[in-house]
Amino acid sequence: QVRLVESGGGVVRPGESLRLSCTSSRRTNDIMGWFRRAPGRDREFVAALRINGWFAGRKAYGDNVKGRFTISRDNIQGTLFLQMNNLQPEDTAVYYCAAAVGAGFGDEDRDYDSWGQGTQVTVSS
């Protein structure tokens, strides 16, 4: 049983920024990532970071956020972050943190064994 807790969501205007955080009760994650789900849409891959193994340090981003969002991790504390810049209304969604041990690269839902409850991000003028 792994507990992931997201924080940092909120309501912002277009062009503004937010930074999401995710804490994990498990400190040995091999992969951590972010997904989002907007109303009426499927869950969308946002970003992933490989922590251990051959791909350690590798990052990946979804096409809709690349260049605006940055995933990072405090390797000492184990906290995962998502820096979101130049937010737009289409970024409005519930953002979920995910983690896994011994999984794939991390750009698909099935790569993960643990999920947080999500944090709401709303971008509106």
Side-chain angles (χ1 to χ4, degrees), residues 2 4 15 19 24 38 45 47 56-58 60-61 65 90 94 110 116 119:
V2 179
L4 301 176
R19 188 176 76 158
S24 173
F45 170 69
R58 297 280 186 93
Y61 296 94
V65 306
E90 54 264 36
V94 177
R110 62 189 177 191
T119 184

Side-chain angles (χ1 to χ4, degrees), residues 12 16 23-24 32 38 42-43 45 50 60 64 66 69 72 74 78 81 85-86 88 92 94 100-102 106 113-114:
V12 297
E16 295 183 341
T23 59
S24 173
M32 297 189 76
D42 293 332
R43 187 150 56 188
F45 170 69
R50 182 76 183 185
N64 293 329
K66 189 174 184 179
F69 291 9
S72 63
D74 182 334
F81 300 100
N85 295 330
N86 192 25
Q88 300 300 312
T92 296
V94 177
V101 173
D113 58 50
S114 302

Side-chain angles (χ1 to χ4, degrees), residues 34 44-49 57-73 81-84 105-107:
W34 294 95
E44 176 188 10
F45 170 69
V46 175
L49 185 152
R58 297 280 186 93
K59 301 177 181 180
Y61 296 94
D63 291 341
N64 293 329
V65 306
K66 189 174 184 179
R68 297 188 297 120
F69 291 9
T70 302
I71 188 171
S72 63
R73 181 175 181 268
F81 300 100
L82 183 69
Q83 178 67 42
M84 305 184 294
F105 179 74
D107 60 344

Side-chain angles (χ1 to χ4, degrees), residues 26 28-32 49-55 98-114:
R26 180 176 63 197
T28 57
N29 299 302
D30 293 321
I31 302 170
M32 297 189 76
L49 185 152
R50 182 76 183 185
I51 299 169
N52 297 316
W54 178 255
F55 295 101
V101 173
F105 179 74
D107 60 344
E108 298 182 359
D109 291 16
R110 62 189 177 191
D111 292 333
Y112 297 92
D113 58 50
S114 302

